[in-house]
Amino acid sequence: MHQASERRPANPAEHLRALAGRARGQGLMNGSYDIRVRQILTYKGQRKTTYTVRWVVDGKAYREPFATRALADAFRSELITATRRGEAFSVTTGRPVSYRSGAAAVNWYAFAIEFCDVQWQRTSGNNRKTVAKVLMATTIALLRTVPNNFKAVDVRTGLREWAFNTRRRQDAPPEVATILAWVGRNSLSMAAWEDPGKVEEILRAVGTKLDGSSVAASSIKRSRRVLNVAMEHAVKQGTLRSNPLPKGRGTTPKTSSVVDKRSLINSRQAAALLACVRTRPRGGRRLHAFFSTMYYAGPRPEEAVAMGVLDVRLPEESAPDQWGELLFHTAHPEVGKQWTDTGEVHEERGLKGRAVGDTRVVPCRPALTKILRDHIEAEGLKPGDRLFQGEQGGMLAGSVIRRGWRSARGAVLTPHEHDSPLGKRVYDLRNTCLTNWLNAGVPPAQVAEWAGNSVAVLLAAYARCISGQLTDLKRRIEAEGDLPELPTAG
């Protein structure tokens, strides 16, 4: 009778936990007894003096700088004491085995899944997607071998859409579970993060596209933030002794939040684009009201789609003052049904950067008052209805919004304008609105309140877009007067 083979857990997550358990029981770092501890190197710079302890393990040189001679002497003495005890040194970290953290006993993939689950309950749908993408790229960089038996795209998809999706992981198809089990067996241990060279290799991989080009600086910054949180989690668990990611200036590319002035739409262009949207045979009038709200009131797209009829406070049609008010209190970003807790495409959230339940009120100028009044009447909307609806009465889909805007740009703009950043994103309607308010002389603090930004963020993003006030500012400066003429010495 043949001995029964070990049962493989049907659940991929259970299989990974089993792999991690075996690693903890038998995983040890490669060690060496070939150690040379060298003399301390003293470097006197212009600002400070650095004392560097140098030693060699199995032919590989290691260095550790210290701010004082006493600290360097103490560390060097510890290395020498370890060699006299006959202790092996890690080839990965260069430190004595007694210095070893728990990293070698923890499978990176098992740790990444655990970290993903911890973050899932703390973050929004969009953040969940970002975490999944970063962990996917990092896991690919930490594989021992290339997945020859699977297509690379299938491995990436399995990681991003199933392994690092807490809600879907249990339902991974059999072919995906096979790929994930292979990844678990071929993933390096957390000890890889204790090798500075490997850390640099991982960061390069995360910051590189499939075609070899570099990803955007903003994407690199987001990836670094995710990895930084992951490493701090590893330190808190005792898996790593310290955060291995490089710190200081120059470790991440600089990013700019400044609005590109070329993306702003002038009044003539805005009128032509909105008129073109209005003539669309399917939903043109609804999209016209939606885009007009963004142009005149400056909400974010996810805030505009969340508006209800009750959030629009309009004066009577016979009132002499046709200024109204728009109330914003909810946002419905479109993140994909696989990333939300409800399984819906949109996720309901509070206003960005505001406390839970906070609201903001934005003035509704007479031109927008008329557009929204006509929209509510034409659609037959009731007080409890959503203000901007899709064809079937549901939420206005992002794909419909983007398609309508792209179509209008293609029909209205010249080829040169179409290829430029001019109004390339729907979000540029908001940027144009805020810029118009600033150019009209509305105080930045008031614009920030209406926009849902801080004053610092507002000025950092829009300062270069303000124009048309230079002549008045020059007069104000001249009004202070010039220096009086001093009598010449006789």
Side-chain angles (χ1 to χ4, degrees):
M1 185 173 182
H2 295 289
Q3 183 178 0
S5 60
E6 182 182 1
R7 184 180 65 87
R8 171 187 282 186
N11 190 314
E14 292 180 2
H15 184 58
L16 290 174
R17 283 193 288 270
L19 289 172
R22 293 177 198 165
R24 290 188 181 95
Q26 63 188 19
L28 292 173
M29 282 189 288
N30 294 329
S32 173
Y33 295 94
D34 183 10
I35 300 102
R36 304 280 191 278
V37 181
R38 304 193 184 283
Q39 295 297 321
I40 295 174
L41 178 65
T42 303
Y43 173 77
K44 294 184 178 181
Q46 293 183 347
R47 296 184 178 180
K48 62 179 181 179
T49 301
T50 303
Y51 303 90
T52 302
V53 178
R54 303 172 298 156
W55 72 105
V56 179
V57 178
D58 197 27
K60 184 177 180 181
Y62 294 89
R63 301 162 70 91
E64 189 71 29
F66 293 91
T68 66
R69 179 82 187 197
L71 290 174
D73 281 333
F75 181 74
R76 184 173 181 272
S77 296
E78 291 180 7
L79 298 181
I80 294 175
T81 301
T83 61
R84 289 173 178 170
R85 287 199 305 264
E87 188 173 345
F89 278 49
S90 166
V91 177
T92 304
T93 66
R95 303 297 181 91
V97 172
S98 59
Y99 277 53
R100 188 180 68 225
S101 65
V106 179
N107 178 280
W108 154 256
Y109 192 24
F111 168 83
I113 284 181
E114 178 193 0
F115 171 72
C116 171
D117 292 345
V118 170
Q119 291 296 107
W120 187 269
Q121 299 301 326
R122 303 175 180 175
T123 55
S124 65
N126 275 323
N127 284 331
R128 291 168 180 174
K129 283 201 296 186
T130 299
V131 169
K133 289 179 181 178
V134 175
L135 293 181
M136 173 203 69
T138 305
T139 301
I140 295 295
L142 284 169
L143 290 175
R144 288 190 179 89
T145 59
V146 177
N148 294 321
N149 296 330
F150 310 104
K151 293 181 180 179
V153 64
D154 292 338
V155 176
R156 292 193 300 270
T157 302
L159 290 171
R160 184 184 63 249
E161 301 294 330
W162 299 96
F164 300 129
N165 186 309
T166 300
R167 194 168 69 85
R168 301 181 72 201
R169 188 183 308 127
Q170 306 292 339
D171 302 321
E175 62 274 15
V176 174
T178 301
I179 292 175
L180 299 186
W182 177 88
V183 171
R185 294 192 301 271
N186 286 273
S187 176
L188 294 174
S189 74
M190 291 292 289
W193 292 99
E194 296 180 328
D195 181 357
K198 188 63 178 179
V199 172
E200 289 296 328
E201 180 184 327
I202 295 169
L203 295 179
R204 282 195 301 271
V206 172
T208 305
K209 297 180 182 179
L210 293 177
D211 61 4
S213 62
S214 179
V215 303
S218 57
S219 297
I220 294 177
K221 204 166 186 178
R222 280 196 299 270
S223 299
R224 184 65 65 88
R225 280 199 296 265
V226 172
L227 288 177
N228 189 64
V229 175
M231 294 301 102
E232 292 298 335
H233 180 68
V235 172
K236 185 183 297 185
Q237 286 189 320
T239 302
L240 296 176
R241 290 182 178 273
S242 61
N243 189 333
L245 298 180
K247 300 175 180 63
R249 299 174 64 180
T251 56
T252 55
K254 292 184 178 180
T255 57
S256 175
S257 60
V258 177
V259 172
D260 189 345
K261 196 171 183 177
R262 299 172 300 170
S263 68
L264 303 180
I265 310 164
N266 63 39
S267 58
R268 178 189 59 79
Q269 294 162 339
L273 288 165
L274 293 177
C276 179
V277 169
R278 187 180 176 86
T279 61
R280 285 176 62 86
R282 293 181 59 182
R285 290 180 177 272
R286 288 194 295 270
L287 286 176
H288 174 265
F290 176 84
F291 291 139
S292 296
T293 300
M294 289 196 61
Y295 178 78
Y296 283 125
R300 299 176 177 89
E302 61 267 26
E303 296 170 344
V305 298
M307 293 180 68
V309 176
L310 289 175
D311 299 326
V312 181
R313 302 171 181 176
L314 303 180
E316 294 294 333
E317 195 168 359
S318 59
D321 184 0
Q322 286 297 301
W323 279 86
E325 288 184 340
L326 303 180
L327 178 66
F328 296 99
H329 53 82
T330 310
H332 284 290
E334 189 178 69
V335 298
K337 60 184 179 181
Q338 68 268 38
W339 302 104
T340 62
D341 293 325
T342 61
E344 300 291 333
V345 174
H346 292 81
E347 180 180 54
E348 182 173 343
R349 303 193 66 201
L351 299 179
K352 185 177 181 179
R354 299 288 183 110
V356 177
D358 201 357
T359 64
R360 76 174 191 271
V361 178
V362 180
C364 179
R365 61 189 297 165
L368 182 58
T369 294
K370 183 179 186 311
I371 292 172
L372 292 180
R373 183 184 288 122
D374 293 344
H375 168 71
I376 293 172
E377 182 179 350
E379 296 291 318
L381 300 178
K382 297 178 175 57
D385 291 342
R386 193 181 304 279
L387 183 61
F388 303 116
Q389 301 179 2
E391 288 187 350
Q392 304 301 323
M395 193 170 297
L396 190 59
S399 59
V400 174
I401 295 170
R402 292 187 293 271
R403 185 165 57 247
W405 187 248
R406 284 197 304 266
S407 177
R409 286 186 80 247
V412 170
L413 301 182
T414 66
H416 176 73
E417 291 173 335
H418 184 269
D419 293 339
S420 74
L422 176 65
K424 199 153 194 174
R425 305 177 304 159
V426 174
Y427 203 94
D428 291 327
L429 288 167
R430 167 179 162 87
N431 290 338
T432 298
C433 176
L434 272 56
T435 301
N436 289 342
W437 284 342
L438 291 170
N439 286 335
V442 180
Q446 183 61 74
V447 175
E449 170 63 25
W450 291 342
N453 284 337
S454 67
V455 176
V457 170
L458 179 81
L459 293 179
Y462 296 94
R464 297 180 186 176
C465 299
I466 301 175
S467 61
Q469 302 178 24
L470 184 58
T471 301
D472 180 59
L473 294 175
K474 287 178 179 177
R475 292 197 188 101
R476 293 187 187 185
I477 295 173
E478 287 181 338
E480 295 294 326
D482 299 329
L483 291 174
E485 293 187 7
L486 298 177
T488 57

